[in-house]
C-alpha cells in the first residue's frame, strides 16, 4: 500500500531560550506519517515528543525546518490562519480532558462546530453522531463534573472528531485514567484509524498504551532514535 | 464566531460567591447614580411643568429670574393698554402685575432656616394659573395679612400649617389655606395679595407681569412688540418657555450626579477588573483549550468583555431596581425633597422621579463599567501563549 503521507516533517528543529541557555527540544527531526496510521511518540521527559506533537498540530512553531500537513506548510500560516487550520484539520485530545466545566458534554462537543458554517440543527446532528461513536449518546446533557474520567475523555474524543478532521493528536490521553478506562479510550482511537481512516499521533510514556499504535517512534534528546 | 452567551452567563453564575460583591458594589453605584439623576429630573420636571402656553411673562431685560426683576408701575400701565391682550367679561385686560419676594422661615424639625418665595398675586394672576388649586382652607383676603402656601412647601416648613404664621418683613402673615401646584414650580411658593405685599415690603415696583393674549397671533405680536420697545426695556416670552429655562437649579445636582458617578464608577471599574482578572487566572487552561480548538484572540477578547458586561449588568439591574424601590417608597409616603434654587436662593420643592429611561440609563452605565473593567483582563486572556496556557493547572 503506497498511501500518501499526511504529515511530512523535514529537518525540524526547535530551540527554546531559558535565560542565557539555548535548550534544543528538537534537533533536525525528519518524519513521514501516512494517512490512517496510529503513530505513538515515546521517550523520556524532555525528549521533545510533546514539542513535535505541538508543531505537527499547529500550536507551536519550529525554529527551523518544515512541517507539512496535507501539503500545507503550517509554519508559514499566520496566527489567524493557523487557528482556522487547526479548527478544520486537527482534533485534540489532552491528558486532563480540557472540557469546559460550565458546558454540558454536548455543548463541549459542539464548540469546534461553532466556528463552521453549520446551522444549529446540523451541529446538533453531528454532535449526536460523535457522542454515539464514543458510546455516550445518552450523556449529552451531563456536565463534566457529573461524569467519570473515562467518560470525560470520551467526550473529549467526540469533540476532537466532530469536525471530521483528518488528523487527531493526543497528548498522554490515558495519563489520568484507570486501566479499564484507558483501554476503552485507546480502543476508540485505534478504531478511528481502522474504520474511519483517521490519522492519530499520540504521545505516551506507557508501553501498554503504545501497543495500541501501528508504529512507535522513540525520541531521545530531540532526535528520533533509530 | 463568538462563544455562546450561555458560556459567559454560566461562568458568572458558577462563580457567584466571588462575583456577588462586585455585583453589589456596582448595584450601589448605579442606585446612587439613578437617584441623583432622578432628583435632577424631578427639578427639571417641576420647572417644565409650570405655566400656561397661552400666557406671556414679562420681566426686566437682563434679569434671569422674576425675583431679580423690577417692573415699574409706568411700564405696567403701558403693558396694560397694549393691543392684543384678552379681555375678561368686564372688558378689563387679563393681566397681573406681581411681586416676588424672598422670606426666611424655619424648617421643620429644627433644621435651621431656609428661604422661600412669597408671591404677591392679583385675582387676575390666579385666574391665569388654573393649574394651581386650593386644597385646604380658603384663599387669602386682601388687607388681612393672610397667605396661602403650597401644600408641598407646608410639609417642609414649621408654621406653614393652617393657622400658623410666616414672618414677612416687619409683619407676620397668617396661613389660611394650602394650594396644590400639581408638580409645578408654584409648589415652592407662598401666595398673598400683590398690593398688600408691596405695602409690607415697601416696594414701589413689581417683579413681573403675566398676561393673556387674545390668540396665538396676538401672542407672537405682543412678544415681538414688547421685546422691540426700547423704552420699555422688558423681556417677554411664553410663560412655559420662561419656566422651562429655569432649570439652573438642577445643574448642581446634575454635576453632583456626574462627579459622584465618575468617582464611584472608578472604584466599580477596579472591582470588576479584579473579578475578571481572577476569572482569567482561574480559567487559563480553558482559554488555551479554546484557542487550540480554533477560537481567535478576538473571540477571547469579546468573550471576556461580554462576561464582564453581563456581570456588571446584573449589578446595574439590581441598582436600578433599588433606586426604583426608593422612589416607590417616597411616592407611597408622599415625601417631598427640597434644594436651593441658585437663582432666587429660595427652597425649591420637588419630587424626584425614577423613570424607565433613567433605569435603562443606569443599566447602560453599569455595562460601561463592566466593559471598562474587563478590557485589560480580556486582553491578557487573549495574549496568553497557547502552550503555557494549556499547561496551566
Amino acid at each position: 500500500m503506497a498511501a500518501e503521507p499526511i504529515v511530512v516533517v523535514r529537518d525540524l528543529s526547535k530551540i527554546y531560550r531559558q535565560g542565557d541557555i539555548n535548550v534544543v527540544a528538537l534537533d533536525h527531526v525528519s518524519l513521514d506519517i501516512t494517512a490512517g496510521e496510529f503513530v505513538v511518540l515515546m521517550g523520556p521527559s524532555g525528549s521533545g515528543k510533546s514539542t513535535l506533537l505541538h508543531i505537527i498540530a499547529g500550536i507551536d512553531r519550529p525554529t527551523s525546518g518544515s512541517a507539512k500537513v496535507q501539503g500545507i506548510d503550517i509554519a508559514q500560516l499566520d496566527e489567524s490562519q493557523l487557528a482556522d487550520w487547526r479548527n478544520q484539520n486537527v482534533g485534540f485530545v489532552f491528558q486532563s480532558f480540557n472540557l469546559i466545566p460550565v458546558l454540558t458534554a454536548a455543548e463541549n462537543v459542539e464548540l469546534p462546530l461553532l466556528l463552521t458554517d453549520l446551522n444549529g440543527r446540523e451541529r446538533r446532528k453531528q454532535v449526536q453522531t460523535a457522542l454515539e461513536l464514543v458510546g455516550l449518546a445518552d450523556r449529552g446533557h451531563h456536565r463534566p463534573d457529573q461524569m467519570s474520567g473515562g467518560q470525560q475523555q470520551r467526550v473529549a474524543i467526540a469533540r476532537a472528531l466532530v469536525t471530521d478532521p483528518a488528523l487527531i493528536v493526543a497528548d498522554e490521553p490515558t495519563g489520568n485514567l484507570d486501566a479499564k478506562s484507558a483501554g476503552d479510550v485507546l480502543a476508540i482511537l485505534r478504531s478511528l484509524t481502522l474504520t474511519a481512516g483517521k490519522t492519530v499521533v499520540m504521545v505516551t510514556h506507557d508501553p501498554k498504551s503504545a501497543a495500541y499504535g501501528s508504529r512507535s517512534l522513540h525520541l531521545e534528546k530531540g532526535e528520533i532514535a533509530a | 464566531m463568538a462563544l455562546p452567551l450561555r458560556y459567559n452567563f454560566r461562568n458568572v453564575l458558577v462563580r457567584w460567591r466571588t462575583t456577588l460583591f462586585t455585583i453589589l458594589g456596582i448595584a450601589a453605584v448605579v442606585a446612587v447614580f439613578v437617584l441623583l439623576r432622578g432628583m435632577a429630573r424631578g427639578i427639571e420636571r417641576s420647572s417644565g411643568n409650570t405655566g400656561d402656553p397661552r400666557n406671556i411673562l414679562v420681566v426686566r431685560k437682563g434679569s434671569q429670574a422674576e425675583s431679580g426683576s423690577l417692573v415699574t408701575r409706568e411700564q405696567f400701565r403701558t403693558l396694560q393698554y397694549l393691543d392684543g391682550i384678552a379681555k375678561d367679561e368686564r372688558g378689563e385686560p387679563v393681566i397681573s402685575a406681581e411681586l416676588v419676594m424672598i422670606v426666611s422661615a424655619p424648617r421643620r424639625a429644627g433644621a435651621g432656616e431656609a428661604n422661600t418665595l412669597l408671591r404677591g398675586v392679583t385675582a387676575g394672576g390666579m385666574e391665569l394659573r388654573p393649574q394651581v388649586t386650593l386644597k385646604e382652607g380658603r384663599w387669602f383676603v386682601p388687607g388681612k395679612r393672610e397667605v396661602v402656601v403650597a401644600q408641598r412647601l407646608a410639609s417642609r416648613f414649621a408654621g406653614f400649617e393652617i393657622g400658623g404664621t410666616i414672618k414677612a418683613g416687619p409683619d407676620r402673615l397668617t396661613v389660611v389655606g394650602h394650594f396644590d401646584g400639581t408638580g409645578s414650580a408654584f409648589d415652592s411658593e407662598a401666595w398673598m395679595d400683590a398690593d398688600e405685599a408691596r405695602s409690607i415690603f415697601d416696594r414701589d415696583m413689581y417683579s413681573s407681569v403675566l398676561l393673556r393674549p387674545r390668540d396665538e397671533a396676538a401672542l407672537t405680536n405682543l412678544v415681538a412688540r414688547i421685546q422691540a420697545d426700547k423704552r420699555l426695556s422688558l423681556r417677554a416670552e411664553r410663560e412655559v418657555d420662561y419656566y422651562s429655562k429655569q432649570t439652573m437649579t438642577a445643574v448642581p445636582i446634575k454635576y453632583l450626579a456626574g462627579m459622584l458617578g465618575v468617582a464611584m464608577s472608578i472604584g466599580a471599574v477596579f472591582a470588576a477588573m479584579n473579578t475578571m482578572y481572577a476569572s482569567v487566572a482561574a480559567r487559563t487552561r480553558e482559554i488555551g483549550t479554546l484557542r487550540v480548538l480554533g477560537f481567535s484572540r478576538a473571540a477571547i477578547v469579546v468573550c471576556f468583555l461580554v462576561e464582564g458586561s453581563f456581570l456588571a449588568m446584573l449589578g446595574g439591574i439590581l441598582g436600578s431596581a433599588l433606586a426604583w424601590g426608593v422612589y416607590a417608597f417616597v411616592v407611597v409616603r408622599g415625601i417631598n425633597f427640597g434644594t436651593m434654587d441658585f437663582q432666587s436662593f429660595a427652597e425649591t420643592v420637588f419630587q424626584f422621579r425614577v423613570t424607565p429611561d433613567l433605569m435603562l440609563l443606569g443599566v447602560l452605565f453599569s455595562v460601561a463599567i463592566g466593559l471598562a473593567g474587563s478590557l485589560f483582563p480580556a486582553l491578557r486572556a487573549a495574549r496568553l501563549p497557547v502552550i503555557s496556557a494549556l499547561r496551566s493547572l
Side-chain angles (χ1 to χ4, degrees):
Chain A
M1 194 173 73
E4 280 289 303
I6 185 170
V7 178
V8 178
V9 172
R10 288 291 174 271
D11 216 16
L12 196 73
S13 292
K14 177 73 183 182
I15 299 166
Y16 292 107
R17 191 144 184 94
Q18 276 186 350
D20 294 336
I21 306 162
N22 284 333
V23 178
V24 180
L26 289 175
D27 190 6
H28 301 282
V29 171
S30 293
L31 161 74
D32 283 359
I33 298 173
T34 310
E37 268 196 294
F38 187 163
V39 174
V40 179
L41 300 177
M42 295 190 75
S45 292
S47 60
K49 56 189 188 303
S50 286
T51 304
L52 179 59
L53 186 84
H54 290 155
I55 291 173
I56 291 171
I59 55 178
D60 201 353
R61 290 175 184 277
T63 308
S64 63
S66 70
K68 287 186 180 173
V69 180
Q70 292 181 301
I72 295 171
D73 188 351
I74 51 176
Q76 302 304 316
L77 301 178
D78 67 25
E79 189 79 31
S80 162
Q81 290 169 325
L82 205 53
D84 289 342
W85 178 83
R86 283 196 302 264
N87 177 256
Q88 291 155 19
N89 297 285
V90 190
F92 294 86
V93 182
F94 304 95
Q95 179 176 354
S96 306
F97 326 133
N98 289 27
L99 299 177
I100 308 296
V102 297
L103 299 180
T104 63
E107 288 165 347
N108 265 289
V109 175
E110 191 187 10
L111 273 177
L113 294 179
L114 295 174
L115 298 166
T116 66
D117 295 330
L118 298 179
N119 63 33
R121 193 191 300 168
E122 291 165 335
R123 290 202 302 267
R124 280 190 290 278
K125 197 176 160 198
Q126 279 194 222
V127 166
Q128 194 57 25
T129 306
L131 284 171
E132 278 168 14
L133 268 170
V134 297
L136 290 173
D138 56 339
R139 304 301 298 269
H141 58 286
H142 286 81
R143 281 201 316 271
D145 61 359
Q146 297 167 321
M147 306 172 98
S148 68
Q151 287 171 331
Q152 288 186 55
Q153 195 59 299
R154 278 147 67 193
V155 172
I157 294 172
R159 182 178 65 188
L161 285 176
V162 76
T163 52
D164 195 24
L167 179 66
I168 291 170
V169 296
D171 195 355
E172 302 273 12
T174 57
N176 286 359
L177 299 180
D178 59 68
K180 163 79 174 66
S181 300
D184 291 345
V185 163
L186 291 164
I188 291 171
L189 290 176
R190 184 168 59 188
S191 79
L192 289 174
T193 60
L194 297 176
T195 58
K198 304 288 179 200
T199 306
V200 175
V201 182
M202 178 175 79
V203 163
T204 184
H205 278 106
D206 177 23
K208 282 185 194 164
S209 298
Y212 282 81
S214 56
R215 178 159 61 119
S216 290
L217 296 171
H218 287 262
L219 278 93
E220 295 262 357
K221 295 180 182 172
E223 294 177 20
I224 294 176
Chain B
M1 186 169 170
L3 280 150
L5 290 175
R6 58 178 178 266
Y7 169 70
N8 303 115
F9 299 159
R10 287 182 205 163
N11 265 311
V12 169
L13 299 178
V14 145
R15 293 173 169 79
W16 69 269
R17 283 186 187 84
T18 51
T19 54
L20 184 64
F21 285 100
T22 306
I23 290 172
L24 290 178
I26 292 170
V29 170
V30 169
V32 171
F33 174 77
V34 171
L35 286 173
L36 283 172
R37 293 290 301 218
M39 283 186 181
R41 181 69 60 87
I43 294 167
E44 283 173 344
R45 183 172 181 266
S46 160
S47 299
N49 191 30
T50 305
D52 188 316
R54 296 170 298 174
N55 294 347
I56 294 176
L57 185 74
V58 184
V59 292
R60 182 173 60 100
K61 209 161 241 175
S63 61
Q64 296 299 311
E66 275 182 287
S67 54
S69 158
L70 295 170
V71 179
T72 63
R73 284 158 70 179
E74 193 186 336
Q75 285 171 323
F76 174 55
R77 267 197 300 277
T78 310
L79 290 171
Q80 213 171 2
Y81 297 110
L82 287 177
D83 187 34
I85 299 177
K87 299 276 174 20
D88 64 14
E89 55 273 22
R90 299 186 305 276
E92 297 293 323
V94 184
I95 186 166
S96 172
E98 301 181 348
L99 181 69
V100 174
M101 299 299 296
I102 306 287
V103 293
S104 182
R107 282 199 170 113
R108 283 193 188 276
E113 291 209 335
N115 290 335
T116 186
L117 277 181
L118 178 66
R119 181 182 293 276
V121 289
T122 61
M126 288 156 78
E127 279 171 34
L128 282 164
R129 295 184 179 93
Q131 74 183 127
V132 176
T133 53
L134 190 72
K135 291 309 261 192
E136 274 183 285
R138 60 174 173 81
W139 285 110
F140 54 81
V141 174
K144 289 200 157 185
R145 299 291 189 261
E146 289 177 350
V147 68
V148 178
V149 300
Q151 207 168 27
R152 287 189 176 169
L153 201 63
S155 67
R156 298 183 57 80
F157 284 92
F160 276 30
E161 62 280 355
I162 293 174
T165 58
I166 302 174
K167 194 169 183 320
D171 285 286
R172 290 199 82 85
L173 306 171
T174 305
V175 178
V176 294
H178 287 159
F179 66 75
D180 179 13
T182 55
S184 68
F186 302 127
D187 277 328
S188 305
E189 295 185 356
W191 286 9
M192 68 177 297
D193 179 67
D195 289 330
E196 195 176 3
R198 283 203 303 121
S199 140
I200 288 175
F201 292 100
D202 196 21
R203 289 291 171 101
D204 198 32
M205 292 190 265
Y206 300 101
S207 303
S208 62
V209 173
L210 188 65
L211 59 91
R212 169 79 50 86
R214 209 164 37 223
D215 50 34
E216 189 60 28
L219 186 144
T220 315
N221 286 339
L222 274 168
V223 167
R225 183 162 171 201
I226 296 167
Q227 293 274 76
D229 195 327
K230 290 216 164 65
R231 285 174 306 137
L232 281 172
S233 189
L234 293 170
R235 180 161 71 94
E237 63 187 318
R238 235 183 252 271
E239 187 189 15
V240 286
D241 292 343
Y242 167 83
Y243 279 103
S244 66
K245 286 178 196 161
Q246 300 292 306
T247 51
M248 284 286 285
T249 315
V251 170
I253 291 183
K254 272 187 162 175
Y255 274 124
L256 185 66
M259 279 163 53
L260 267 180
V262 168
M264 292 192 310
S265 63
I266 291 171
V269 163
F270 278 106
M273 200 180 283
N274 196 33
T275 304
M276 294 308 293
Y277 268 130
S279 187
V280 169
R283 285 151 65 191
T284 302
R285 195 166 65 190
E286 205 170 297
I287 295 160
T289 306
L290 292 170
R291 294 289 314 282
V292 165
L293 294 180
F295 286 91
S296 62
R297 286 180 197 271
I300 301 294
V301 170
V302 170
C303 167
F304 278 91
L305 288 179
V306 166
E307 199 164 313
S309 309
F310 173 66
L311 164 82
M313 196 173 73
L314 290 180
I317 291 169
L318 187 66
S320 284
L322 204 67
W324 193 87
V326 172
Y327 168 60
F329 176 78
V330 163
V331 169
V332 168
R333 299 291 293 265
I335 300 169
N336 290 304
F337 290 83
T339 184
M340 194 170 70
D341 177 344
F342 283 84
Q343 281 170 332
S344 65
F345 297 102
E347 181 103 332
T348 297
V349 181
F350 65 95
Q351 201 165 43
F352 77 85
R353 291 172 58 78
V354 174
T355 49
D357 65 318
L358 267 188
M359 291 171 74
L360 180 67
L361 187 69
V363 173
L364 291 176
F365 179 52
S366 69
V367 170
I369 289 172
L371 283 173
S374 51
L375 180 63
F376 289 111
L379 291 174
R380 173 186 280 189
R383 285 178 185 151
L384 286 171
V386 176
I387 291 175
S388 53
L390 283 174
R391 284 179 183 146
S392 152
L393 291 175

